[in-house]
Amino acid sequence: MVGHYSDQKFDDKRYGGFYTQDDIKEIVAYANQRHITVVPEIEMPGHAVAALAAYPEYSCTGGPFEVGKIWGVLDDVFCPKDETFTFLENILSEVIDLFPSKYIHIGGDECPKVRWKACPKCQQRMKTENLKDEHELQSYFIQRIEKFVNAKGRKIIGWDEILEGGLAPNAAVMSWRGTEGGIAAAKEKHYVVMSPGSHCYFDHYQGEPKNEHIAFGGYTPVEKVYSFNPTPKELSADEAQYILGAQANLWTEYIETPSHVEYMIFPRMLALSEVVWGTSNPEKFADFQNRMIQHFDIFDKKGINYSKSIYQITTKVKPSTSGNGILFELKSANNSNGIRYTTDGSNPSSSSIPYSNPIEITKGQTLKAALFENDKQKSATIEQRFYWSNAVGKKITLVHQPHENYSIGGALTLVDGIIGNRSKFGRDWLGFLGKDLNATIDLGKPETINKVTLCVLESQGSWIYFPKKIEVLLSNDGQNFESVAQLNSSEIKEVKGEVVLDVKSMKAQYVKVIATNLGKIQDGNPGAGSEAWLFVDEIGVE
Ligand code: ACM
Ligand code: ZN
């Protein structure tokens, strides 16, 4: 796939490959010499289309299937019939012979249940095994595989979905959809590896998305990784002993070369190392950054490709102290004193306005900035366009909070004058999982309102769907709201998520915007059966 998932463009190049048994032995030995244990993952029962394309007899429908050309979660999965278990057990036997690890990862994540619901063999299995729903069938699947792996003297580890429908008795859990699954497993005295999307997904952006190669989404700079705590405070000291550590994940949907792999791993891996050693202190990030920068010389000597995004200019929107507009903060790991900026659209030079304090933004304008040292430009030029409306910088409250993975900037993100990028949605968007946007903006005094605007995003491969409905309500006392405009799902699609709700010249101080989450994703769509993500940005009040 070329470009973003929603573009659906392809380069038609053959993709794939395999390791021979000798390759595997070489990798395992190389790692072992460095005191590293390789844990293989054989994914089941979902993410199975590549296997089913070659062996359609282990599916529910019999196929035929084509190997996926798009990434995502596909509906065709392994059918839990006896032949499938024999097939998977043969593979696991081969894998177990090659990898000496105590744990064998059996996947377990993202398994849609649509095929199982319609499959007579699956439904029969549920009857004979007395299983009340398809989640229990998934649990049956994992427990049966666990028995096999345990009989070979090994243990299974699986993604946190293996908690659904009942955890296999000896299984360890890898918590990726947050830390909640890991907390639940540790409380049940199961071992856990923490790997939440919020801090441990290195396929997310680490620098300003506009200046980075396209990535999956999300914004996880090295400072965020460094702030991770793998033993949440919800756990008692006894329970915390079940946390084995943390893992970073680097899925390669948008990564084609080993050099790009290095770029995504370094230097974030250094931050995660201190986290799992237990020596990190998020309050002393600046100290860590100094230590980290010393490693850059070593990376250079070893020819390791690494991200220098800390030297780029990073930006942050802050609430204004004067109650007017917002503040725009610029920073670089290099001397921030060298930052120069312009507000007239021209490219910054060493004689442009020197940056010292966060810049007050009180109107629509374009700001450009770069870092200079001895008259030489040392960073890429960043460019930020600010859109202006009556809502920018105003007090905003949310009924439901966004998910931790997509909450950078908090509620202010919706009224910061920055319109989120639709193809690189790393930041500037809030993501709500299964929940509605329910935001109230206090304009400070009654204003005449002609229209309210809102941006919503759809990227089905990432389970991000447009809302079912968007509604605007107005009030003068913040208590009694009157509904004044609505848009339904087909109207939202028609405008491609750039929503304008006309309000006929009404006066109000409080503006409430409700975008109703799609809820459970319907069969036949990516993520079917799971809760949809709702991605929203900038609310404008004009
Ligand atoms: C995962 O990222 N699907 C474990
Ligand atoms: Zn089936």
Side-chain angles (χ1 to χ4, degrees):
M1 192 166 7
V2 182
H4 205 266
Y5 185 96
S6 50
D7 300 339
Q8 299 285 310
K9 288 195 197 118
F10 305 93
D11 64 9
D12 290 329
K13 283 189 216 151
R14 189 180 173 126
Y15 173 82
F18 59 89
Y19 295 101
T20 64
Q21 295 213 355
D22 282 343
D23 291 336
I24 300 273
K25 285 176 192 153
E26 190 185 334
I27 290 166
V28 167
Y30 181 90
N32 186 49
Q33 281 165 4
R34 289 154 183 82
H35 311 285
I36 292 168
T37 304
V38 182
V39 176
E41 176 182 357
I42 301 297
E43 174 83 53
M44 62 189 79
H47 286 297
V49 171
L52 294 177
Y55 301 95
E57 59 271 36
Y58 306 125
S59 71
C60 290
T61 65
F65 306 105
E66 233 193 13
V67 173
K69 291 180 196 144
I70 55 169
W71 56 262
V73 177
L74 307 177
D75 284 340
D76 288 294
V77 302
F78 287 120
C79 177
K81 49 196 169 189
D82 289 338
E83 310 88 278
T84 306
F85 286 103
T86 307
F87 170 70
L88 290 170
E89 286 166 11
N90 286 338
I91 292 170
L92 284 167
S93 295
E94 200 172 328
V95 165
I96 285 169
D97 286 345
L98 287 167
F99 292 90
S101 58
K102 180 163 104 183
Y103 285 102
I104 302 292
H105 201 310
I106 50 74
D109 60 319
E110 299 184 313
C111 180
K113 309 293 190 293
V114 243
R115 295 290 181 264
W116 290 0
K117 280 187 185 144
C119 170
K121 289 211 160 106
C122 288
Q123 294 303 311
Q124 187 55 43
R125 175 75 80 191
M126 284 165 61
K127 273 210 193 86
T128 52
E129 297 294 333
N130 216 359
L131 307 171
K132 79 168 191 297
D133 58 18
E134 286 74 17
H135 289 297
E136 290 197 357
L137 182 57
Q138 152 124 354
S139 174
Y140 166 84
F141 198 116
I142 301 296
Q143 296 203 26
R144 185 158 161 177
I145 290 292
E146 175 178 63
K147 279 201 194 90
F148 178 80
V149 173
N150 286 171
K152 296 233 166 209
R154 311 292 181 89
K155 294 180 175 203
I156 64 161
I157 182 163
W159 300 110
D160 56 64
E161 284 94 331
I162 68 170
L163 281 150
E164 293 165 6
L167 200 46
N170 309 309
V173 170
M174 206 169 254
S175 192
W176 73 282
R177 293 180 297 178
T179 50
E180 297 82 1
I183 292 168
K187 284 186 184 291
E188 290 181 37
K189 301 192 184 320
H190 284 256
Y191 285 104
V192 169
V193 174
M194 288 295 193
S195 192
S198 53
H199 296 79
C200 294
Y201 270 51
F202 288 3
D203 52 348
H204 291 187
Y205 291 101
Q206 57 192 317
E208 171 56 47
K210 268 179 273 184
N211 299 332
E212 296 283 324
H213 183 283
I214 190 165
F216 182 80
Y219 184 59
T220 311
V222 66
E223 187 166 358
K224 178 98 190 256
V225 177
Y226 195 65
S227 72
F228 183 49
N229 174 12
T231 49
K233 56 181 180 325
E234 288 90 337
L235 297 177
S236 69
D238 271 357
E239 290 161 347
Q241 300 200 16
Y242 287 93
I243 308 292
L244 294 171
Q247 168 177 291
N249 293 324
L250 184 63
W251 312 110
T252 53
E253 284 94 345
Y254 293 106
I255 300 172
E256 279 191 90
T257 62
S259 162
H260 191 184
V261 165
E262 290 176 358
Y263 178 86
M264 300 305 273
I265 292 175
F266 294 101
R268 288 186 284 193
M269 184 201 263
L270 276 59
L272 190 61
S273 297
E274 287 205 4
V275 166
V276 292
W277 292 335
T279 57
S280 60
N281 178 355
E283 261 140 49
K284 296 199 164 173
F285 176 72
D287 286 0
F288 167 74
Q289 187 165 274
N290 287 336
R291 282 196 294 288
M292 180 176 82
I293 287 168
Q294 290 172 38
H295 281 269
F296 287 4
D297 286 341
I298 300 172
F299 296 161
D300 286 333
K301 285 207 178 87
K302 285 180 181 274
I304 291 172
N305 187 24
Y306 60 99
S307 167
K308 299 174 188 73
S309 50
I310 56 157
Y311 293 130
Q312 296 299 324
I313 294 179
T314 53
T315 64
K316 200 188 243 168
V317 173
K318 297 184 148 183
S320 141
T321 39
S322 65
N324 196 10
I326 49 116
L327 292 175
F328 195 49
E329 184 186 74
L330 308 178
K331 229 162 76 176
S332 163
N334 267 329
N335 192 352
S336 294
N337 292 336
I339 298 176
R340 305 257 167 179
Y341 70 96
T342 66
T343 57
D344 60 1
S346 66
N347 282 325
S349 69
S350 56
S351 56
S352 301
I353 314 165
Y355 174 84
S356 49
N357 290 309
I359 304 160
E360 263 200 359
I361 306 289
T362 56
K363 60 177 197 288
Q365 60 181 195
T366 296
L367 197 135
K368 289 187 179 183
L371 185 75
F372 293 86
E373 215 176 270
N374 305 325
D375 291 345
K376 271 222 180 74
Q377 185 165 341
K378 300 289 280 184
S379 77
T381 299
I382 57 142
E383 176 176 342
Q384 185 62 64
R385 208 175 89 76
F386 288 93
Y387 142 92
W388 191 256
S389 94
N390 258 335
V392 176
K394 295 286 157 50
K395 191 165 162 257
I396 176 167
T397 48
L398 298 175
V399 172
H400 310 289
Q401 293 312 307
H403 188 277
E404 207 197 350
N405 290 13
Y406 304 101
S407 60
I408 287 205
L412 184 63
T413 301
L414 299 178
V415 289
D416 62 1
I418 296 174
I419 308 274
N421 185 321
R422 282 180 186 272
S423 54
K424 289 184 164 181
F425 46 92
R427 50 185 295 181
D428 304 326
W429 292 90
L430 295 186
F432 295 85
L433 183 56
K435 291 187 193 145
D436 300 338
L437 164 76
N438 186 327
T440 303
I441 299 167
D442 177 357
L443 298 173
K445 61 181 196 304
E447 302 268 9
T448 303
I449 298 166
N450 289 306
K451 64 178 181 181
V452 174
T453 58
L454 174 72
C455 302
V456 289
L457 185 77
E458 187 157 82
S459 180
Q460 297 194 356
S462 307
W463 306 5
I464 303 171
Y465 285 85
F466 282 147
K468 281 200 280 216
K469 193 175 97 176
I470 297 174
E471 185 179 10
V472 172
L473 304 95
L474 301 180
S475 166
N476 276 308
D477 59 7
Q479 305 288 328
N480 304 297
F481 282 87
E482 185 191 349
S483 175
V484 294
Q486 290 202 17
L487 232 55
N488 65 28
S489 136
S490 53
E491 292 166 320
I492 296 165
K493 279 197 181 88
E494 217 164 277
V495 297
K496 298 193 167 73
E498 292 183 22
V499 172
V500 179
L501 295 124
D502 287 310
V503 179
K504 286 172 208 78
S505 190
M506 295 184 82
K507 223 169 169 128
Q509 178 173 345
Y510 298 90
V511 180
K512 192 193 284 289
V513 178
I514 300 177
T516 311
N517 192 300
L518 179 73
K520 274 242 156 70
I521 301 169
Q522 288 186 337
D523 287 357
N525 298 305
S530 297
E531 307 258 46
W533 285 94
L534 168 67
F535 266 52
V536 297
D537 184 37
E538 208 62 15
I539 301 175
V541 177
E542 295 178 23

